[in-house]
Amino acid sequence: MLHPIDEAYRAWSPKSCQMSLRACEVFPGGDTRASAHYDPYPLTMQKGEGCYLYDVDGHKILDFMNNFTSMIHGHGNDKITRAVSEQVALGTAYAAPSEGQIELAELIVSRVASIDQIRFCSSGTEATLMAIRCARACTGKQKIMKMEGGYHGSYELAEVSLIPEPSLRGELDRPNSLAIDGSFPDSVLSDTVVCPFNEPDMAKHLIDEYADELAAVIVEPIMGSMGMIPATKAFLETLKSVTSQHGILLIFDEVISLRLSGGGAQEIFEIEPDLTCMGKIIGGGLPIGAVGGKRQYMQIFDPSNPNKVFHASTFSGNALTMAAGFAAMTLYSASEAKRLNLLGEKLKNGFNQAFQQSGIHGQATGLGSLVNLHFTDRDINDSRDALSGMIDAGHFGRLLHLCMLKRGVMSASRLMFCVSSPMREEEINFAITALHESLAELRPYIKAERPKLLA
Ligand SMILES: Cc1ncc(COP(=O)(O)O)c(C=O)c1O
């Protein structure tokens, strides 16, 4: 039997429902991207304008998803549109150097202190992959340490232990390397050392133990996939000091967190990694990735280097993405990053108040313009804490997402929200009101089905 909230969602979005039936014929499960899918079916969008999306049923929806944090200027920004239109007329991809590549690279190098040189690629996935290959080639070692719950793209190593399933994950000080589906070769699991997030002493212990085999430690300064959990400064400082002591490369995955300041999250934490992976916002809404870092490591990509790592990739540095990225990043000044961070903090505080007033256990975590909701008021320091909140919530995370959509507010289905530059206080207040109302709508169902979620 359908839950009444699902029924109401279906009644509210009949054209999206029809569209999903059509999509099911040509896409397995009716979608072409797992992370953007949600049940019972996702809304089909027709267009985006500023911070709003318009779906096929004619709803105007405030977009706090921003294509998973990449649309820093929302949709259809004038300057980006003009830059892209001008470039389209001049050709989109040349397989040759262009000034546009140098301009965007110079802009990033001038802002991110740890980056001397860059390589562009076409996705964040490719950026972390190339960073790992760089680290292996530079150190001659094979294993990679990643955080339990961390996500670095759509390939096996980048997803090891993404979901720390309680019955399989092992002890916190020595987590097991877990496959998240049946596609993982054993070699990937044995090449990956899983580290507990935000546990400096345990991390040091594991790095010391595997020092002779570890090429790199990869970490997000704020763990996105498991619900925007900021790293502590002490944790990142420990990773920095122990890796440099052992000649292991420290890779910051700033595919999401670069937006937190002109110089990325590394500027906020005042810690310089050896390599930085980027993506999302630096493409101005078009597909992109980049790996950057200290010259001594980036030299491994130099075609004249006898020990080079071969990095090709058909759309790397394509002229269209470079034009969009340069326009977007020029617009995204340090003061604009600060303004968005303040709006994000206001959103987080307002969400926390909404949970408190609702009498439902829950909280918002995050940093600056990145926010995530969780159905628990226990402290959230790592992916295990976040997962136990998700398990406690049962299907109420999913239902809350639908309730917010019906009120015209879109987040990721895992309840991740991020702010974009067309937003003002008005949009933040709108989302906070939507959460108050959504929690009030859910409360009777929670009382009946999951009373332990009530305060
Ligand atoms: C932290 C992080 N790294 C890497 C990636 C992969 O980026 P892409 O989806 O562009 O391949 C993502 C994507 O969400 C991400 O959040």
Side-chain angles (χ1 to χ4, degrees):
M1 209 181 71
L2 272 186
H3 194 283
I5 303 257
D6 280 310
E7 262 176 40
Y9 176 80
R10 282 176 182 275
W12 176 78
S13 55
K15 289 192 179 152
S16 279
C17 183
Q18 274 169 18
M19 206 60 95
S20 86
L21 293 175
R22 196 174 140 200
C24 279
E25 292 300 315
V26 286
F27 299 123
D31 213 326
T32 186
R33 184 176 171 195
S35 53
H37 188 77
Y38 49 88
D39 285 336
Y41 52 82
L43 297 182
T44 298
M45 294 302 170
Q46 224 160 30
K47 67 167 185 175
E49 209 173 72
C51 52
Y52 291 93
L53 291 169
Y54 296 80
D55 73 3
V56 288
D57 286 287
H59 303 119
K60 179 180 176 185
I61 295 171
L62 192 45
D63 185 11
F64 277 95
M65 158 87 101
N66 290 301
N67 193 24
F68 279 94
T69 77
S70 57
M71 308 301 292
I72 193 82
H73 299 300
H75 307 278
N77 174 279
D78 282 351
K79 290 207 167 92
I80 301 174
T81 305
R82 209 172 313 124
V84 169
S85 309
E86 283 169 14
Q87 186 58 50
V88 167
L90 302 174
T92 58
Y94 311 132
S98 67
E99 192 174 359
Q101 296 171 343
I102 302 172
E103 279 175 345
L104 182 56
E106 283 173 346
L107 190 150
I108 294 169
V109 167
S110 73
R111 289 186 183 179
V112 185
S114 70
I115 298 184
D116 301 328
Q117 293 190 311
I118 281 191
R119 273 269 166 158
F120 287 117
C121 47
S122 301
S123 66
T125 293
E126 199 184 335
T128 62
L129 184 70
M130 294 317 297
I132 286 169
R133 288 184 62 190
C134 171
R136 284 185 169 143
C138 287
T139 61
K141 297 188 276 183
Q142 198 165 331
K143 286 195 198 302
I144 304 295
M145 175 178 275
K146 78 176 285 290
M147 303 302 131
E148 191 175 48
Y151 175 75
H152 302 290
S154 214
Y155 59 100
E156 302 91 333
L157 192 154
E159 297 179 347
V160 170
S161 294
L162 173 61
I163 299 159
E165 160 59 40
S167 63
L168 302 172
R169 65 194 178 195
E171 296 301 318
L172 181 62
D173 63 348
R174 188 169 289 276
N176 294 326
S177 291
L178 297 181
I180 60 153
D181 58 42
S183 71
F184 282 54
D186 292 343
S187 57
V188 165
L189 297 177
S190 60
D191 274 345
T192 311
V193 180
V194 178
C195 180
F197 188 63
N198 272 340
E199 296 288 348
D201 294 341
M202 294 181 196
K204 177 178 169 9
H205 198 77
L206 278 175
I207 297 171
D208 284 342
E209 182 178 334
Y210 286 96
D212 292 344
E213 296 171 277
L214 278 177
V217 173
I218 184 164
V219 61
E220 277 181 282
I222 168 165
M223 188 185 275
S225 51
M226 288 302 280
M228 293 303 161
I229 309 170
T232 63
K233 191 167 161 68
F235 181 63
L236 295 178
E237 277 172 350
T238 300
L239 295 184
K240 168 82 182 169
S241 72
V242 187
T243 50
S244 61
Q245 197 184 316
H246 290 298
I248 299 164
L249 269 62
L250 180 62
I251 305 171
F252 274 8
D253 180 346
E254 294 233 40
V255 168
I256 288 179
S257 61
L258 194 76
R259 60 162 39 227
L260 291 174
S261 83
Q266 55 195 267
E267 183 176 46
I268 296 173
F269 284 102
E270 298 173 309
I271 296 171
E272 288 194 11
D274 298 305
L275 295 174
T276 300
C277 302
M278 293 158 283
K280 301 204 194 264
I281 67 166
I282 64 166
L286 295 183
I288 196 166
V291 54
K294 304 223 155 63
R295 195 175 295 267
Q296 71 192 97
Y297 304 119
M298 292 302 293
Q299 286 301 309
I300 205 80
F301 296 114
D302 180 344
S304 66
N305 185 335
N307 302 316
K308 66 179 166 292
V309 166
F310 186 70
H311 170 231
S313 195
T314 303
F315 285 98
S316 281
N318 75 78
L320 203 57
T321 302
M322 297 297 106
F326 187 70
M329 293 303 284
T330 305
L331 283 174
Y332 197 53
S333 60
S335 62
E336 188 60 354
K338 250 186 214 146
R339 185 181 74 83
L340 295 201
N341 285 344
L342 286 176
L343 287 180
E345 293 296 335
K346 187 172 160 50
L347 184 70
K348 186 171 73 177
N349 294 338
F351 280 170
N352 275 324
Q353 269 173 13
F355 265 111
Q356 277 154 21
Q357 284 176 23
S358 71
I360 297 168
H361 290 308
Q363 66 181 295
T365 59
L367 194 62
S369 60
L370 300 165
V371 178
N372 214 108
L373 298 181
H374 301 263
F375 270 102
T376 174
D377 40 22
R378 294 189 297 271
D379 283 351
I380 297 181
N381 292 312
D382 63 18
S383 56
R384 294 187 182 210
D385 298 332
L387 188 63
S388 77
M390 284 178 219
I391 292 168
D392 286 352
H395 67 167
F396 283 103
R398 183 180 79 76
L399 296 181
L400 176 58
H401 175 242
L402 297 185
C403 289
M404 293 291 278
L405 275 175
K406 271 199 303 144
R407 288 175 172 79
V409 176
M410 175 156 147
S411 66
S413 56
R414 59 181 159 84
L415 302 173
M416 184 276 297
F417 295 71
C418 67
V419 177
S420 66
S421 69
M423 290 182 180
R424 302 285 178 271
E425 300 237 339
E426 192 185 325
E427 281 78 27
I428 302 300
N429 290 334
F430 187 86
I432 294 169
T433 302
L435 183 61
H436 276 283
E437 292 174 3
S438 297
L439 292 174
E441 184 181 353
L442 285 177
R443 203 174 196 286
Y445 300 110
I446 291 178
K447 194 170 175 199
E449 296 175 39
R450 213 112 183 155
K452 71 176 181 182
L453 279 185
L454 296 184

